[in-house]
């Protein structure tokens, strides 16, 4: 392969047979510039060597034309050497123009890039980044300590730079603070020797702790992608070069301009390293949420290998494995309980603080913590298919998102560094021509280069996104799509599905008005209903079981679809159903009519019970409102939003529930396919909250779709935001995160832009023109570092969202497992 050669490696979805493989091979063979073509049907891949990037693009086009488009995949890269928004712009542009790239997003705060590409081989992406002067590697999600290592590296460099800079600073500036020091140096080693030692120590600062800044800066200039490092490198080089001339060839400078600025060069590097050390430490805190998620899953688990239970690495666990969990142990992967009872703390995944009872048949989630009982479960999802892995993927995707507001920053930073370089040159030229000495030109030019801070502009948006979405994840709210973070704060109406969203989604017996013994009548009704699979029947049976009633066997069971059922129970003829159904069989329900009407007006379903030809009771069944729903809707109203309900229920039932919950508008009797039209009739922008398969179109169509995490996978895939628990107070948490994050971003951008607008003229010497002071390069470096730290510190305030008023859901009384273990 030549120096410009590229590797083609793609996965193809619809390669189903040998004929498909042959057609793919023929399509690639016809492309000029391809060699070593290999098509593998077993793993559905195609590989080849391409002579250059153009041949690679032709190969991808040929696959499209042949009807076998390559599968898209998301690649995450770690980028070293990025320091400002200009770095982000150049790296992003390089990745977007790499062969096979569909989209690229680069995040300065995390030092990472997310690329959607059609190629399996990531070398083309790594090579593209290298052309900008930066280095890239595949991101390893399993090693969250990279940020810590980077912080330690910056710490070491700073302390070395400080040790070398301190003597330089004291030798040159100490005499201004303590004049006898200046006289002592002149009387002992002399000014020339002092300057020479300062030059030597400064050279060591630039060569060792400051080497990365200088190398990256000049590499960026060489590749015509100048960044913050380039500004610093030029400024420091100018100060060091001028000082070297003053030391070694003083005759080239006017006597009044013979001064050294070694201390400026050394102090600039030291202050920038201090800023980057503190910045790296702060960045580490911005990614705390994702690292916390990564550490949830244990490294090993107790796996049953044909009766031999032993510690096994989680990476080796396969679907279907039997896994034992001891009391207090952490659950390794997703599964279904096959033995034991316990409570499991799922708060780290769902945000719900109350442990959940688990027994045979219940699901468990990897990363959660078992309580005091022992469990045995069968693995149903491992590796990247687990809930925890998908949550980490969602959070990483959201944290690397580019919000629409970022486009303004990208447009500005595209020309910011070149403009600053031009301003610095003009400033130096103006002071050189009109100023009193050449040193004024040097000070002003270097100060302009140093004080400009694209770092703050580059950090303003991604740091807020990282902290905000990380805090949201801790609260059980996952932003699947990054732009939802910005869209949600502009929503004016929130529409809710009813069943399973506002309500529990399972009918329960709420009232029993009877003539006679309530338990005895409920026992007869439940015995008859036990033969039915209808949801209302299950509600009656569950109510009887909750009262501890034993249910006799029913005989002669028969049902009339949509009307009711009949059965013989312990010699009694039992009929259950609507008033009309009982009337058909000569049973008058008039005595219960008033109670039934009251139930209906409250949104409940009335069911009549007849025993031996006489109406004996009316039962009310309803889908109960979820705990926390009333509080959530009240909070939404307090936030200034309108609340709507879209349901397939009849108008009276829907109106009754709406009145109970304080819902502003109702769309009742809506079929699943009509929910999109119902959404469009509401005042926008509109958010929709749902949980079922039939909610997927509405979730996708809404300006922002919020899916209940306890709902169906189809609904979750269609949504922009996922609420991991069923508690609707998660909606208010999502809105709060969205609003506060966008407010935080606006604050950061206002500071970053305002800082440069105000201080670049000061650095250029505008104040000195009117008799004010010149801004020294070291002070400019300090101000530049503080600007970035301000942005980071402001973003970190988002970690306190919701902490003053608790989690999205309040702890409920702890319940016991549904079945008691008995000897």
């Amino acid at each position: 392969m030549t120096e410009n050669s590229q590797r083609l490696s793609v996965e193809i979805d619809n390669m189903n047979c040998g004929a498909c493989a042959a057609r793919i091979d023929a399509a690639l063979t016809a492309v000029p510039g391809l060699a070593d073509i290999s098509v593998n049907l077993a793993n559905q891949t195609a590989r080849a060597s391409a002579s250059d990037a153009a041949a690679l693009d032709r190969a991808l086009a040929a696959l499209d034309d042949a009807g076998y488009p390559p599968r898209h995949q998301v690649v995450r890269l770690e980028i070293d050497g990025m320091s400002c928004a200009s770095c982000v712009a150049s790296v992003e542009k390089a990745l977007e123009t790499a062969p096979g790239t569909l989209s690229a997003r680069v995040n300065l705060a995390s030092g990472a890039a997310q690329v959607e590409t059609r190629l399996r081989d990531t070398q083309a992406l790594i090579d593209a980044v290298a052309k900008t002067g930066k280095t890239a590697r595949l991101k390893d999600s399993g090693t969250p300590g990279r940020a810590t290592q980077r912080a330690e590296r910056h710490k070491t460099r700073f302390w070395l730079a400080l040790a070398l800079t301190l003597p330089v600073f004291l030798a040159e500036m100490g005499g201004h603070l303590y004049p006898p020091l200046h006289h002592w140096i002149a009387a002992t080693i002399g000014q020339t020797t002092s300057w020479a030692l300062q030059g030597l120590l400064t050279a060591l600062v630039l060569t060792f702790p400051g080497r990365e800044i200088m190398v990256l800066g000049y590499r960026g200039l060489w590749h015509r992608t100048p960044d913050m490092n380039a500004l610093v490198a030029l400024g420091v080089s100018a100060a060091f070069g001028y000082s070297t001339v003053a030391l070694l060839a003083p005759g080239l400078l006017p006597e009044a301009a013979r001064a050294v600025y070694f201390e400026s060069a050394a102090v600039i590097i030291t202050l920038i390293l201090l800023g980057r050390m503190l910045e790296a430490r702060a960045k580490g805190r911005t990614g705390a949420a994702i690292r916390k998620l990564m550490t949830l899953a244990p490294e090993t688990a107790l796996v049953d290998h044909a009766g031999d239970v032993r510690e096994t690495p989680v990476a080796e666990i396969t679907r279907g494995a039997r896994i034992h969990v001891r009391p207090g142990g952490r659950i390794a992967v997703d599964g279904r309980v096959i033995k034991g009872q316990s409570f499991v703390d799922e708060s780290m995944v769902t945000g719900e603080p109350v442990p959940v009872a688990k027994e045979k048949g219940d699901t468990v989630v990897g990363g959660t913590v078992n309580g005091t009982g022992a469990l045995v479960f069968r693995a149903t999802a491992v590796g990247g298919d687990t809930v925890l892995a998908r949550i980490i993927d969602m959070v990483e995707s959201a944290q690397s998102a580019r919000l629409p507001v970022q486009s303004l920053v990208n447009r500005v930073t595209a020309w910011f560094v070149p403009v600053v370089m031009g301003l610095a040159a003009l400033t130096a030229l103006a002071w050189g021509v009109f100023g009193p000495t050449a040193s004024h030109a040097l000070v002003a030019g270097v100060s302009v280069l140093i004080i400009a801070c694209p770092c703050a502009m580059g950090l303003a948006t991604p740091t807020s996104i990282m902290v905000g979405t990380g805090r949201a994840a801790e609260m059980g709210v996952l932003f699947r799509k990054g732009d939802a973070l910005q869209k949600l704060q502009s929503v004016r109406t929130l529409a809710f599905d009813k069943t399973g969203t506002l309500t529990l989604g399972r009918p329960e017996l709420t009232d029993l008005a009877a003539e006679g013994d309530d338990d005895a009548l409920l026992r007869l009704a439940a015995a008859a209903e036990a033969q039915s699979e209808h949801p209302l029947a299950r509600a009656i049976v569950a109510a009887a079981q909750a009262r501890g009633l034993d249910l006799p066997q029913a005989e002669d069971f028969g049902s009339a679809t949509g009307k009711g059922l009949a059965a013989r129970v312990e010699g009694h003829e039992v009929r259950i159903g609507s008033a009309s159904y009982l009337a058909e069989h000569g049973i008058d329900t008039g005595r219960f009519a008033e109670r039934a009407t009251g139930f209906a007006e409250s949104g409940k379903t009335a069911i009549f019970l007849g025993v031996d030809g006489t109406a004996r009771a009316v039962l009310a069944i309803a889908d109960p409102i979820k705990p926390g729903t009333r509080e959530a809707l009240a909070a939404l109203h307090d936030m200034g939003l309108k609340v709507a309900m879209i349901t397939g229920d009849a108008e009276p039932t829907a109106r009754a529930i709406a009145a109970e919950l304080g819902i502003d508008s109702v769309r009742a009797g809506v079929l699943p396919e009509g929910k999109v039209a119902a959404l469009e009739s509401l005042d926008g922008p509109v958010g929709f909250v749902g949980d079922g398969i039939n909610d997927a179109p509405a979730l996708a169509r809404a300006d922002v779709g919020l899916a209940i995490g306890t709902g169906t996978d189809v609904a979750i895939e269609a949504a922009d935001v996922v609420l991991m628990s069923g508690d609707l107070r998660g909606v208010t948490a999502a809105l709060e995160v969205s609003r506060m994050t966008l407010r935080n971003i606006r604050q950061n951008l206002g500071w970053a832009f305002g800082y440069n607008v105000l201080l670049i003229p000061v650095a250029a010497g505008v104040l000195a023109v009117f008799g004010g002071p010149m801004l020294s390069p070291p002070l400019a470096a300090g101000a530049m570092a503080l600007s970035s730290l301000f942005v980071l510190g402001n973003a970190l305030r988002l970690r306190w969202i919701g902490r003053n008023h608790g989690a999205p859901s309040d702890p409920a009384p702890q319940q016991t497992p549904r079945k008691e273990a008995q000897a």
Side-chain angles (χ1 to χ4, degrees):
M1 294 177 70
T2 65
E3 185 179 348
N4 295 324
S5 62
Q6 304 277 338
R7 238 194 109 69
L8 173 72
S9 178
V10 294
E11 293 183 10
I12 300 172
D13 275 325
N14 54 353
M15 191 196 320
N16 302 314
C17 63
C20 298
R23 282 192 286 271
I24 293 168
D25 190 279
L28 293 176
T29 301
V31 176
L34 289 189
D36 304 326
I37 297 169
S38 170
V39 180
N40 189 317
L41 176 61
N43 58 15
Q44 296 185 313
T45 61
R47 294 184 174 86
S49 299
S51 58
D52 53 28
L56 200 57
D57 288 333
R58 289 195 297 270
L60 294 172
L63 290 170
D64 289 338
D65 294 341
Y68 296 95
R71 182 185 303 164
H72 299 181
Q73 65 171 340
V74 175
V75 175
R76 290 189 173 91
L77 300 172
E78 284 190 350
I79 314 292
D80 282 337
M82 292 196 302
S83 59
C84 67
S86 296
C87 305
V88 172
S90 61
V91 171
E92 204 164 76
K93 182 178 180 181
L95 288 171
E96 286 172 344
T97 56
T101 297
L102 298 169
S103 67
R105 296 198 300 264
V106 180
N107 189 314
L108 176 61
S110 63
Q114 181 172 292
V115 186
E116 187 179 5
T117 179
R118 307 170 81 191
L119 299 177
R120 295 179 69 207
D121 187 4
T122 58
Q123 190 59 46
L125 300 176
I126 293 172
D127 292 343
V129 173
K131 291 178 182 177
T132 68
K134 312 295 186 291
T135 57
R137 70 173 72 86
L138 275 177
K139 187 173 183 180
D140 183 0
S141 296
T143 56
R146 187 92 61 186
T148 304
Q149 295 169 8
R150 194 177 293 119
E152 285 298 317
R153 192 165 66 244
H154 283 303
K155 180 179 177 181
T156 301
R157 289 172 179 170
F158 163 69
W159 286 111
L160 176 58
L162 181 63
L164 294 170
T165 298
L166 201 55
V168 179
F169 181 81
L170 291 175
E172 186 61 27
M173 304 302 293
H176 296 285
L177 302 173
Y178 184 62
L181 177 62
H182 173 74
H183 299 308
W184 179 80
I185 292 174
T188 52
I189 60 175
Q191 184 184 67
T192 301
T193 303
S194 173
W195 285 4
L197 291 173
Q198 290 176 41
L200 175 62
L201 290 172
T202 302
L204 292 175
V205 171
L206 302 185
T207 305
F208 294 103
R211 181 177 182 276
E212 183 179 67
I213 295 172
M214 304 300 291
V215 169
L216 290 174
Y218 281 106
R219 189 184 292 168
L221 291 169
W222 177 258
H223 289 288
R224 289 179 292 183
T225 56
D227 56 14
M228 187 64 222
N229 291 308
L231 297 180
V232 174
L234 285 175
V236 168
S237 298
F240 186 82
Y242 184 95
S243 303
T244 303
V245 171
L247 173 64
L248 301 179
L252 297 178
L253 299 173
E255 187 173 350
R258 292 172 190 170
V260 296
Y261 294 91
F262 289 123
E263 91 288 346
S264 291
V267 168
I268 286 168
I269 292 294
T270 302
L271 285 175
I272 288 173
L273 289 174
L274 170 62
R276 291 190 179 176
M277 178 186 74
L278 298 174
E279 187 178 302
R281 191 177 298 171
K283 283 181 181 178
R285 290 198 289 270
T286 65
I290 195 75
R291 287 196 302 278
K292 182 179 178 182
L293 287 171
M294 288 178 180
T295 58
L296 290 181
E299 295 182 358
T300 62
L302 290 171
V303 180
D304 188 336
H305 298 273
D308 178 18
V309 179
R310 62 176 184 269
E311 290 277 352
T312 303
V314 170
E316 297 177 9
I317 296 176
T318 58
R319 185 177 298 180
R322 286 170 55 97
I323 301 172
H324 293 245
V325 187
R326 292 169 178 159
R330 195 175 287 275
I331 294 168
V333 296
D334 297 356
R336 190 173 297 278
V337 177
I338 56 178
K339 184 180 179 182
Q341 290 182 332
S342 186
F343 283 98
V344 175
D345 179 1
E346 298 182 340
S347 60
M348 62 287 297
V349 175
T350 66
E352 291 281 2
V354 182
V356 181
K358 300 291 182 181
E359 60 179 14
K360 184 177 180 180
D362 290 333
T363 58
V364 289
V365 176
T368 56
V369 179
N370 185 30
T372 57
L375 295 174
V376 181
F377 68 93
R378 192 174 300 281
T380 57
V382 297
D385 296 328
T386 63
V387 168
L388 181 60
R390 296 203 305 273
I391 289 174
I392 291 172
D393 186 66
M394 285 185 197
V395 176
E396 284 187 330
S397 295
Q399 290 189 338
S400 62
R402 182 197 296 151
L403 302 190
V405 70
Q406 184 69 23
S407 59
L408 171 64
V409 180
N410 292 344
R411 287 197 298 272
V412 171
T413 54
W415 51 260
F416 181 82
V417 171
V419 165
V420 169
M421 292 170 66
L423 287 174
L426 285 174
T427 299
L429 180 63
W431 279 100
V433 174
F434 302 106
T437 65
S439 60
H440 277 73
L442 174 70
V443 168
V446 171
S447 294
V448 170
L449 287 172
I450 299 302
I451 204 164
C453 194
C455 311
M457 286 188 285
L459 291 168
T461 301
T463 49
S464 297
I465 293 173
M466 286 185 69
V467 181
T469 54
R471 176 58 187 146
E474 292 175 353
M475 299 166 75
V477 177
L478 302 179
F479 286 87
R480 288 191 65 248
K481 300 174 185 176
D483 59 354
L485 192 64
Q486 182 167 342
K487 288 181 179 178
L488 188 58
Q489 56 98 33
S490 63
V491 163
R492 294 293 169 262
T493 303
L494 265 175
F496 291 83
D497 166 56
K498 182 183 78 72
T499 305
T501 303
L502 294 172
T503 64
L504 291 174
R506 56 176 188 271
E508 291 183 359
L509 180 68
T510 60
D511 300 270
L512 173 61
E515 287 186 353
D517 187 333
D518 287 5
D519 283 353
L521 292 172
L522 178 58
R523 178 173 174 272
L524 292 176
E529 294 282 18
Q531 306 298 312
S532 172
E533 292 298 322
H534 195 281
L536 299 183
R538 290 200 293 270
I540 294 173
V541 173
Q545 291 174 339
R547 295 193 185 189
L549 305 177
D550 65 296
L551 303 184
Q553 184 67 36
E555 301 172 345
D556 301 333
F557 177 83
S559 65
T561 304
K563 295 182 178 181
L565 58 83
R568 182 167 294 279
V569 181
E570 295 183 335
H572 297 285
E573 182 186 88
V574 178
R575 290 191 183 275
I576 308 171
S578 64
S580 60
Y581 173 70
L582 267 64
E584 289 176 8
H585 295 85
I587 301 176
D588 180 14
T589 58
R591 73 187 76 178
F592 295 106
E594 186 175 343
R595 295 298 301 274
T597 301
F599 292 151
E601 290 174 350
S602 300
K604 302 175 182 178
T605 301
I607 300 177
F608 295 90
L609 171 65
V611 180
D612 297 329
T614 303
R616 299 293 303 277
V618 60
L619 300 86
I621 296 177
D623 187 1
I625 303 299
K626 278 185 179 178
T629 295
R630 291 178 179 82
E631 295 91 331
L633 298 188
L636 293 174
H637 280 127
D638 291 342
M639 296 170 82
L641 277 76
K642 294 181 180 178
V643 178
M645 181 173 70
I646 300 175
T647 177
D649 281 1
E651 188 82 21
T653 302
R655 292 287 175 191
I657 293 174
E660 182 182 354
L661 295 177
I663 291 173
D664 302 306
S665 59
V666 177
R667 302 292 186 272
V670 179
L671 297 174
E673 57 270 22
K675 287 189 175 182
V676 171
L679 273 180
E680 293 172 347
S681 70
L682 299 171
D683 294 334
V686 179
F688 180 74
V689 186
D691 73 320
I693 292 174
N694 60 346
D695 294 326
L699 286 166
R701 175 63 183 83
D703 293 290
V704 181
L706 299 95
I708 304 298
T710 53
T712 64
D713 289 342
V714 174
I716 291 171
E717 288 300 317
D720 304 299
V721 183
V722 179
L723 312 176
M724 290 305 294
S725 73
D727 195 317
L728 291 185
R729 282 171 287 190
V731 177
T732 61
L735 274 162
E736 187 177 8
V737 167
S738 173
R739 291 183 175 187
M740 294 190 69
T741 300
L742 266 294
R743 186 187 309 153
N744 195 271
I745 288 172
R746 287 191 288 269
Q747 292 167 351
N748 284 347
L749 289 175
W751 167 265
F753 284 113
Y755 164 90
N756 284 289
V757 168
L758 291 175
L759 290 190
I760 287 180
V762 173
V766 169
L767 296 180
V769 172
F770 300 99
M774 292 284 288
L775 183 66
S776 72
L779 284 177
M784 184 270 290
L786 287 173
S787 179
S788 297
L789 293 176
F790 174 90
V791 167
L792 285 162
N794 190 47
L796 288 171
R797 293 190 306 117
L798 295 172
R799 293 190 300 168
W800 300 99
I801 293 176
R803 296 191 193 273
N804 293 333
H805 46 76
S809 55
D810 297 324
Q814 198 175 70
Q815 300 175 351
T816 55
R818 289 179 291 273
K819 295 178 182 177
E820 296 294 330
Q822 296 181 1

